[in-house]
Amino acid sequence: MTEKPSLDTEDRAWLGEGQSESQLTQGPDGVATSDGDRPAWDSKFQYVLAQVGFSVGLGNVWRFPYLCHQNGGGSFMVLYVFLLLIVGVPLFFMELAAGQCIRQGSIGVWKHISPKLAGVGYSSCMVCFYVALYYNVIIAWSLFYLGNSFQYPLPWEQCPLDVTTNDTVKECAGSSPTSYFWFRKALDITNSIDDSGELNPIMTGCLLAAWTIVSLAMIKGIKSSARVMYFSTVFPYVVLFIFLIRGLMLDGAIDGITYMFYPKLEIWGNVQVWRQAATQVFFALGLGYGSVIAYSSYNPVNNNCHRDALMVSGINFMTSVLASLVVFVVLGFRAKNIALRCVTKNLGLLSSMASHGPEEHWWPWFNMSDPSSVSLGEYREWYSHYSPIVGSNITDCSLEEEMNKGVEGTGLAFIAFTEVMALFPASPFWSTLFFLMLLNLGLSTMFGTMQGILTPLMDNFSFLGRHRTALTVSSCALGFLIGMLFTQRSGNYFVTMFDDYSATLPLVIVVIFETISVAWVYGTDRFLDDIEVMLKWRPPVVYKYLWKYVCLLAMVGLLAASLLRMIFKGPTYTAWNQNTASEMTLEYPRWALAMIVMLIVFASLPVPIGYIHSTWKNRQLSNARSEVGGGQEMHRELYTKCDSSDQLDSSSHHRAPSEEDEARPRTAFQTVGADHYQLLPQQLEVEEDEEQDTGV
């Protein structure tokens, strides 16, 4: 094994006076840590399920298909895979290796690498808390729809009647039954974020149920949550395959798939497409949250985390493709139905025109008496010839135009999909399946997000670690109380605000500092040495250059692009207007803009605060040492004793290294047990040679 180079003066300053220059497998203070009381996964399968369950979330179902649809289909997938390989996998591998080496949560990991970067872990916890607040609201919405799926017909199949006029409710007639049910029955939404409205009691109850489920599932740590993940991670795949098989039997399914994969190579020259692809890679793998680090910290130290990184990333991408197939099969069926209804409507208008006058030369050559027998292709061929003559009342019925109306997020899940399921035979069954899938997708991601909060806190504060149950319950209770912001009538606008702005910029900043700490502070060669000790083989050297240059530049570019877009385009949100029964884009009011800035600042602030606090603490310690030791410089031993019980008192046994000490090769250790290290073979040979030379 190659010998680690010594840190130069600048690196020593970065690491701080109190940081050991030892391998990562030692504890935060250079002490060989004992992990006998640390929880561990029951099996490798359980761990992989947890990582897949966290990384595969709602974004794979309702965000990736939309981006693929809007940005060139197959071309976007090629671009996504390229960024996944050169940015996503290396960063994912880095987090897995760091957590497994140090066996701490995000706070402990980055504090161990450099005390001045301890704030990176706290920023991760802060962002995790932001995400948990609004993510559980989406789970609450899924619970609401799941409860309403046990009735026939489904409550969003038809518009309700106004009891005063005995006519269809105007808001529903102007939109659609599914849109009306979502905006009025589920959310009871206001016209803008300025109109807060009172609490929605039903949604508040669903949110309480969602937080209760999370609390009960996590109350015993990974032991309890892992058991739930056997179902919550596997079940969505079963449902996706069922929907894919059922969807392929629908009319218009092949049209949807063709539209999805049709490549548009010109999108590769669009900077915004690169930004969206990089952002999706970033969020799909859950980078920066600390959950990946927390889960890997419960692994045995010799686990093959490199293979895990490749496997989980591959499963994540294939899940996105599978979800995209399901979405486009369903949207193709929906678009075909809308286009055929358009044909039927236009044929009815033509029939009424014929009853008021003689047939013209442009009269359709197909059978007007049976509109259902007229294909979409026949109608569009006729319309292409005579559209200038028939007038504006007769419109083109284009399937492509319907497919171009991209739907993402809640609009895809709670409007487009519910509309399609209402057309299925046995619609309550399909609706129950779909919302059970959304519920389990959300819960598996929610468990990982909460683990990214709880694990670092319990690792860093022993008092909290001794009261795991109380910490879990109190965190969930606090999340519910703050989460009631999202269950008022304007709550959906706050969910959009948090989703768009509270996590994106802070997470990119966190990952930038993570990459700097590993690649430039600790050193990629030293980090690869530590991984070699763990895995018994050295990862390819290409990771060194990816971490130092490619990943770092990609993250800085993503941060700059996101900031520029936010500044020049301005933060906006989509509001529902009850009077016009339509959506409209509004600008955030000033108080909401201030709230967005505060969310970003509060999440990013721990990074500079941690740096300043560590610098001040080191300066105080240095002054104290100068007064006690007469200015003599104090140095830590390069490595601690093999047994933690034999540690020497650092205040009485440290000495300044002599020139002979500096010339001796550093000793590297390989873990044997919880507290013991053995010399690696190369170093054993060196030591034997030294013994022969000196006669010892």
Side-chain angles (χ1 to χ4, degrees):
M1 183 172 122
T2 58
E3 192 175 306
K4 291 185 183 180
S6 61
L7 294 173
D8 56 25
T9 306
E10 185 177 353
D11 289 333
R12 289 180 189 272
W14 254 100
L15 287 170
E17 291 292 331
Q19 181 63 25
S20 172
E21 298 167 11
S22 61
Q23 285 183 304
L24 289 176
T25 46
Q26 298 183 36
D29 295 316
V31 179
T33 56
S34 174
D35 293 319
D37 58 345
R38 186 173 185 80
W41 301 106
D42 291 337
S43 65
K44 180 63 175 285
F45 179 67
Q46 190 180 79
Y47 163 69
V48 172
L49 278 183
Q51 288 285 19
V52 170
F54 169 67
S55 65
V56 175
L58 297 173
N60 296 74
V61 175
W62 67 32
R63 180 64 179 167
F64 182 87
Y66 170 78
L67 292 175
C68 187
H69 165 252
Q70 292 293 97
N71 297 315
S75 302
F76 179 81
M77 285 194 177
V78 174
L79 178 60
Y80 181 87
V81 171
F82 173 71
L83 292 175
L84 180 68
L85 291 176
I86 69 167
V87 178
V89 172
L91 291 175
F92 192 61
F93 176 42
M94 182 185 76
E95 290 198 355
L96 287 178
Q100 186 172 305
C101 274
I102 304 174
R103 301 179 67 77
Q104 293 279 313
S106 57
I107 296 175
V109 163
W110 307 117
K111 185 177 180 180
H112 171 68
I113 290 179
S114 172
K116 293 183 179 181
L117 293 175
V120 174
Y122 288 100
S123 284
S124 292
C125 289
M126 183 70 76
V127 174
C128 276
F129 187 65
Y130 284 167
V131 173
L133 287 177
Y134 76 84
Y135 212 87
N136 228 18
V137 177
I138 301 174
I139 296 176
W141 294 341
S142 301
L143 283 172
F144 175 79
Y145 268 81
L146 179 63
N148 280 277
S149 298
F150 295 101
Q151 48 185 305
Y152 185 81
L154 292 172
W156 52 80
E157 282 192 21
Q158 296 177 344
C159 286
L161 294 177
D162 190 336
V163 292
T164 58
T165 61
N166 202 26
D167 198 5
T168 303
V169 175
K170 183 180 177 182
E171 185 180 3
C172 185
S175 54
S176 68
T178 51
S179 296
Y180 175 80
F181 186 85
W182 167 242
F183 288 113
R184 191 53 51 213
K185 294 297 184 181
L187 302 179
D188 193 18
I189 200 165
T190 57
N191 288 339
S192 72
I193 197 172
D194 282 316
D195 305 326
S196 60
E198 63 278 1
L199 285 177
N200 184 331
I202 297 177
M203 280 304 170
T204 304
C206 291
L207 181 63
L208 177 61
W211 276 111
T212 303
I213 294 172
V214 172
S215 178
L216 292 175
M218 300 198 65
I219 202 163
K220 296 296 182 183
I222 62 170
K223 293 296 183 184
S224 57
S225 62
R227 296 189 186 97
V228 180
M229 285 178 189
Y230 280 111
F231 179 79
S232 64
T233 303
V234 175
F235 180 74
Y237 287 94
V238 176
V239 176
L240 284 173
F241 277 110
I242 292 174
F243 266 97
L244 180 60
I245 295 170
R246 177 67 182 90
L248 289 173
M249 302 176 186
L250 300 172
D251 186 22
I254 303 302
D255 297 312
I257 293 177
T258 303
Y259 191 89
M260 169 187 166
F261 285 105
Y262 184 78
K264 300 174 184 175
L265 300 179
E266 63 273 11
I267 62 102
W268 288 351
N270 190 333
V271 176
Q272 287 303 317
V273 175
W274 284 79
R275 182 190 65 81
Q276 290 179 332
T279 304
Q280 182 60 23
V281 168
F282 186 80
F283 283 104
L285 295 177
L287 300 173
Y289 284 93
S291 305
V292 173
I293 294 175
Y295 277 157
S296 64
S297 72
Y298 299 118
N299 272 332
V301 75
N302 60 349
N303 174 64
N304 192 339
C305 54
H306 182 260
R307 183 175 58 196
D308 295 342
L310 296 174
M311 178 170 55
V312 173
S313 301
I315 292 173
N316 188 292
F317 172 68
M318 295 309 298
T319 305
S320 297
V321 175
L322 173 63
S324 298
L325 285 172
V326 173
V327 167
F328 276 89
V329 160
V330 170
L331 291 183
F333 170 66
R334 175 175 175 263
K336 190 71 172 285
N337 269 274
I338 293 173
L340 289 176
R341 288 202 299 267
C342 171
V343 170
T344 303
K345 174 187 173 184
N346 287 341
L347 291 181
L349 291 173
L350 286 173
S351 297
S352 64
M353 290 169 62
S355 63
H356 292 87
E359 295 184 6
E360 302 287 348
H361 69 280
W362 46 264
W363 197 252
W365 53 80
F366 37 76
N367 185 7
M368 292 283 295
S369 60
D370 185 13
S372 61
S373 65
V374 180
S375 70
L376 184 60
E378 287 177 326
Y379 174 82
R380 295 205 66 198
E381 183 182 355
W382 170 83
Y383 185 82
S384 64
H385 286 88
Y386 300 108
S387 57
I389 303 174
V390 295
S392 59
N393 288 335
I394 307 300
T395 59
D396 186 15
C397 300
S398 171
L399 186 145
E400 291 78 12
E401 185 178 336
E402 290 300 327
M403 289 296 297
N404 278 331
K405 298 176 181 177
V407 186
E408 67 167 329
T410 54
L412 174 65
F414 299 109
I415 297 178
F417 254 82
T418 52
E419 180 181 332
V420 172
M421 286 181 294
L423 301 175
F424 286 0
S427 54
F429 168 76
W430 296 103
S431 180
T432 302
L433 265 187
F434 177 72
F435 288 109
L436 266 178
M437 179 191 73
L438 285 190
L439 178 63
N440 283 278
L441 278 174
L443 284 175
S444 58
T445 302
M446 189 66 188
F447 295 152
T449 304
M450 290 299 294
Q451 205 69 54
I453 302 171
L454 300 177
T455 298
L457 293 177
M458 290 187 293
D459 287 342
N460 208 55
F461 303 101
S462 57
F463 172 78
L464 297 178
R466 292 192 299 268
H467 300 85
R468 178 193 302 271
T469 301
L471 176 64
T472 303
V473 174
S474 59
S475 298
C476 292
L478 179 63
F480 168 70
L481 292 175
I482 300 177
M484 286 195 288
L485 169 71
F486 306 106
T487 61
Q488 56 183 339
R489 292 182 58 197
S490 61
N492 185 48
Y493 304 137
F494 288 98
V495 171
T496 303
M497 176 195 293
F498 272 66
D499 189 33
D500 289 343
Y501 302 107
S502 72
T504 307
L505 292 179
L507 274 183
V508 175
I509 293 172
V510 164
V511 175
I512 287 174
F513 278 100
E514 287 182 359
T515 311
I516 290 174
S517 66
V518 169
W520 295 97
V521 177
Y522 188 76
T524 50
D525 288 327
R526 295 166 59 80
F527 192 61
L528 288 172
D529 289 346
D530 296 329
I531 297 175
E532 184 177 2
V533 171
M534 281 198 309
L535 305 185
K536 310 296 189 296
W537 60 274
R538 192 176 185 84
V541 71
V542 68
Y543 282 110
K544 172 181 177 179
Y545 301 101
L546 289 175
W547 286 330
K548 290 187 75 171
Y549 305 110
V550 178
C551 295
L552 187 57
L553 290 176
M555 288 296 100
V556 171
L558 179 58
L559 177 63
S562 301
L563 279 172
L564 290 174
R565 183 175 181 272
M566 182 176 174
I567 293 171
F568 289 108
K569 189 178 179 181
T572 59
Y573 68 102
T574 302
W576 177 258
N577 190 302
Q578 183 176 2
N579 299 323
T580 61
S582 62
E583 292 181 321
M584 56 184 181
T585 301
L586 299 177
E587 293 183 354
Y588 281 105
R590 289 187 177 181
W591 64 265
L593 292 175
M595 186 175 178
I596 291 172
V597 172
M598 288 173 60
L599 289 173
I600 296 173
V601 169
F602 284 162
S604 308
L605 206 55
V607 177
I609 289 178
Y611 182 86
I612 294 170
H613 176 264
S614 178
T615 303
W616 176 80
K617 190 175 179 181
N618 287 338
R619 185 170 298 174
Q620 295 290 106
L621 188 60
S622 178
N623 293 337
R625 285 174 175 173
S626 299
E627 293 174 1
V628 173
Q632 182 181 6
E633 185 180 0
M634 307 293 284
H635 291 274
R636 292 181 68 104
E637 292 184 64
L638 296 179
Y639 289 95
T640 55
K641 298 292 183 181
C642 294
D643 194 331
S644 58
S645 62
D646 296 328
Q647 297 295 322
L648 297 176
D649 186 291
S650 60
S651 62
S652 59
H653 291 77
H654 280 303
R655 61 182 178 86
S658 65
E659 292 182 4
E660 290 183 2
D661 293 340
E662 293 290 339
R664 290 176 185 170
R666 295 188 173 206
T667 306
F669 292 94
Q670 180 178 339
T671 53
V672 178
D675 294 301
H676 302 276
Y677 292 82
Q678 68 179 8
L679 290 169
L680 290 174
Q682 293 89 334
Q683 274 71 24
L684 282 170
E685 295 174 4
V686 174
E687 294 291 338
E688 289 172 359
D689 292 340
E690 288 183 355
E691 290 175 2
Q692 293 174 2
D693 293 341
T694 58
V696 176

